[in-house]
Amino acid sequence: MAEKKKSIWKFGTREVVFAAIGAALYAVLAYATNVLQLPGAGNVSIRPAVVIPMFFGIAFGPIVGFISGFVGNILSDLLSGWGFWFWWDLGNGLMGLIPGLISGLIVDYKAIKSLLLGELFVILGAAGGMGVASLSEMWVSGADLNTVIFANFIPAFVSNIINGLILLPILMVAYAAIVQRSGRS
Amino acid sequence: MSWQPIFLDRLPAKIYEKQYRMIISWRYKFRNSIMDRIDPRSRWIFSFAFLISATMFWNANYLFVFFVLAVIWYAFGKTTWKETRHGWLLVSIMLFSMIVINTIITGGGAGGVVPPGGHVVWDKGFSLPLLKWHIDFGLTVERIWFAICQLMRLGGVSMIFVLIPYTMDSRAYGATFHGLGMPDKFAYTMELAFRFIPTLARDLSVTLDAQKARGYELEKVKGGIFRKIARIAPLLVPVTMNAIVTSEDVANAMDLRCFGQAKRTWIYPLNYHWWDYLVNIFSAFMLIGSVVAVYVFDQGGYWVPNWFLNLFIHH
């Protein structure tokens, strides 16, 4: 099968729908799994839904990944009644955008190379997204760098990469079957 | 009236409740408040102007003005404690962490603003009786004042943003962001995401029930964190893949209707009133005034008033 080079920055009708579905999925799953708390870490919940913007970024491009994370986090907070925290929404958006940068390179979603590349960009995405969100607390809260790293960045980053690293390959392999069946990617 | 998907209006109330009570309900409802009459675009403009302006200052005099402004804005929403307590719980945890732990005990939250040293009022730390731990810390007047400033600053910002889910109609988001200059496709994506939420919530609920019938337990999963996360897969995978397959049909239907070929119109058009212009003008003045106060007159800096110092330091 000839490999077709994908334009990762395209934002047509399909991308509009995928971004909307990604955002709604992220919001619903985050809301539904709020019951899962990390033992011994106050206010840090296990949020398996963070894999959604990462996966949508890899499957459908960085813009779809960004909107899934950014809008999804806004919707999740609206459903939970947690308010509107722009800098954390932006961080979640980046967590989808950064893995999306490799979407053009992935053709076979269940190939080992694709899975490893996806895992690497999950780590980079979580680092970039949570880094930006955490650093913004220096501006908003006036906290110093140490506080931001230990109180904001590390809990959010570690929790998100664990979720991403475990769940992303499962979704990629499942999506490979969909692509094979439908003939579209 | 609280919002519900239009297609569900036709369902008898009992069926609607039975199917949807588990997962989703928007927090917004019409309260006949002043906030209900302010255009959502003006509200976003005010909220962001407030955020940028308030975070420029550590001067308590200005922060007090911002705090009072936030209280007035919050009162415009006519929300009750019972409605908003969930949001405030999160804010309280954040404020406790930032003010009590990071500012008063460790001083980390004050490190970027409060100069080192200061007037010590407590240097003995404290002990946790059950754990028999002794925590050493030195509390200064400067850090206490900083905690008060931080409470006004974060409390003010929180009041502005916590209010949004409870007082902004979710149907208007697409039109609002379009009105604020967002391209049609992006604004429509937001609108579409709102539309998908009840459908995906139903899918999630059906999948959860189906998996539970096979012995799947979301809440009582044995094992460590990794095992818990991996056990989410039987719920996550079918819902996600089903949503992706459905998306293809939706995208095809939109293409057939020539989506994106012409400028969009919106079901809920927004119109500015004279009071919305006032809010916009006020927001602009607040932002410009803050920039001038901080960068021209150097009024934003942190300082402790003498009357507060005198409360702790006896000459």
Side-chain angles (χ1 to χ4, degrees):
Chain A
M1 191 171 77
E3 291 186 5
K4 200 171 81 177
K5 195 177 178 184
K6 292 188 271 186
S7 164
I8 63 169
W9 300 106
K10 187 188 168 203
F11 196 65
T13 310
R14 282 185 82 224
E15 285 73 21
V16 166
V17 180
F18 285 132
I21 282 273
L25 255 182
Y26 183 27
V28 169
L29 287 166
Y31 182 75
T33 54
N34 270 347
V35 289
L36 302 172
Q37 291 287 324
L38 269 181
N43 195 30
V44 178
S45 57
I46 300 174
R47 206 184 227 199
V50 292
V51 72
I52 295 293
M54 296 164 174
F55 169 69
F56 271 68
I58 288 172
F60 309 115
I63 300 179
V64 173
F66 179 81
I67 295 176
S68 301
F70 181 77
V71 177
N73 203 53
I74 292 174
L75 296 179
S76 164
D77 286 352
L78 291 182
L79 288 171
S80 309
W82 284 355
F84 179 85
W85 310 102
F86 175 74
W87 42 102
W88 286 96
D89 299 328
L90 185 67
N92 276 273
L94 290 174
M95 225 158 43
L97 184 143
I98 294 170
L101 297 174
I102 57 161
S103 61
L105 302 174
I106 294 182
V107 178
D108 181 1
Y109 288 89
K110 62 178 190 301
I112 297 292
K113 188 182 154 195
S114 305
L115 295 173
L116 289 176
L117 202 58
E119 298 283 58
L120 173 67
F121 272 77
V122 159
I123 297 171
L124 295 177
M130 294 302 96
V132 167
S134 303
L135 285 175
S136 66
E137 288 292 344
M138 289 175 77
W139 161 58
V140 178
S141 315
D144 65 1
L145 191 62
N146 271 345
T147 307
V148 160
I149 289 172
F150 289 103
N152 297 115
F153 177 72
I154 289 178
F157 171 68
V158 171
S159 160
N160 288 342
I161 58 164
I162 291 173
N163 282 304
L165 291 176
I166 294 173
L167 295 172
L168 183 78
I170 298 173
L171 284 179
M172 284 177 72
V173 171
Y175 183 60
I178 300 272
V179 170
Q180 202 171 22
R181 200 176 63 185
S182 68
R184 293 184 75 170
S185 61
Chain B
M1 196 182 103
S2 61
W3 181 81
Q4 65 183 41
I6 291 164
F7 66 91
L8 292 175
D9 285 347
R10 300 182 205 114
L11 284 177
K14 273 188 181 174
I15 296 176
Y16 176 84
E17 282 216 348
K18 193 178 175 187
Q19 288 194 327
Y20 293 89
R21 71 187 166 196
M22 188 193 117
I23 304 273
I24 295 297
S25 66
W26 296 108
R27 304 279 164 165
Y28 168 77
K29 69 176 182 188
F30 183 75
R31 295 174 175 81
N32 199 19
S33 64
I34 295 173
M35 200 59 81
D36 283 319
R37 282 165 180 75
I38 301 175
D39 190 287
R41 290 167 295 180
S42 299
R43 293 186 52 194
W44 283 113
I45 290 169
F46 175 85
S47 301
F48 278 103
F50 184 95
L51 172 70
I52 296 167
S53 304
T55 49
M56 278 191 243
F57 290 93
W58 282 111
N59 182 330
N61 292 342
Y62 287 89
L63 287 177
F64 181 71
V65 173
F66 282 116
F67 186 76
V68 171
L69 194 59
V71 171
I72 295 168
W73 186 257
Y74 189 79
F76 283 171
K78 270 175 72 175
T79 52
T80 63
W81 165 248
K82 196 178 169 187
E83 288 169 328
T84 56
R85 63 187 172 187
H86 197 70
W88 284 112
L89 175 69
L90 183 81
V91 172
S92 305
I93 293 168
M94 185 184 75
L95 287 176
F96 180 82
S97 149
M98 292 309 300
I99 294 168
V100 178
I101 298 174
N102 294 333
T103 301
I104 294 180
I105 297 178
T106 67
V113 179
V114 179
H119 301 81
V120 178
V121 290
W122 182 263
D123 59 2
K124 298 182 180 66
F126 65 90
S127 298
L128 296 172
L130 287 176
L131 298 169
K132 293 183 180 172
W133 285 351
H134 185 80
I135 295 173
D136 288 315
F137 77 96
L139 183 60
T140 62
V141 179
E142 285 75 8
R143 266 169 35 197
I144 297 174
W145 186 248
F146 179 78
I148 293 169
C149 291
Q150 207 172 37
L151 184 65
M152 289 194 286
R153 184 166 130 142
L154 289 179
V157 170
S158 301
M159 269 189 269
I160 300 290
F161 286 98
V162 161
L163 196 61
I164 290 172
Y166 303 95
T167 57
M168 199 174 281
D169 191 343
S170 51
R171 289 173 299 186
Y173 273 79
T176 303
F177 284 99
H178 170 74
L180 288 169
M182 193 184 266
D184 268 3
K185 279 185 178 172
F186 288 93
Y188 187 72
T189 303
M190 204 151 189
E191 183 104 341
L192 202 56
F194 275 94
R195 293 280 187 276
F196 279 133
I197 290 234
T199 312
L200 291 176
R202 184 197 56 204
D203 289 352
L204 186 72
S205 179
V206 168
T207 309
L208 186 62
D209 287 346
Q211 299 290 36
K212 276 183 173 174
R214 297 182 178 95
Y216 173 78
E217 290 178 317
L218 177 66
E219 301 90 354
K220 296 174 186 172
V221 181
K222 287 178 185 171
I225 293 168
F226 294 95
R227 199 171 160 77
K228 277 185 181 178
I229 294 169
R231 284 293 302 267
I232 296 289
L235 187 63
L236 185 74
V237 172
V239 174
T240 307
M241 295 306 137
N242 190 37
I244 289 171
V245 172
T246 308
S247 302
E248 295 282 1
D249 296 337
V250 176
N252 287 340
M254 285 166 64
D255 272 338
L256 284 171
R257 288 168 177 78
C258 302
F259 173 78
Q261 300 303 309
K263 199 171 166 18
R264 281 197 67 78
T265 53
W266 300 87
I267 295 173
Y268 303 99
L270 299 171
N271 297 306
Y272 275 128
H273 298 91
W274 63 265
W275 55 84
D276 300 315
Y277 289 112
L278 278 184
V279 173
N280 292 351
I281 292 167
F282 179 82
S283 306
F285 271 112
M286 177 170 62
L287 188 59
I288 295 165
S290 300
V291 171
V292 171
V294 171
Y295 295 104
V296 179
F297 296 104
D298 200 19
Q299 293 287 303
Y302 167 82
W303 58 279
V304 185
N306 282 332
W307 65 265
F308 191 74
L309 265 177
N310 292 336
L311 288 178
F312 296 89
I313 312 297
H314 304 286
H315 299 288

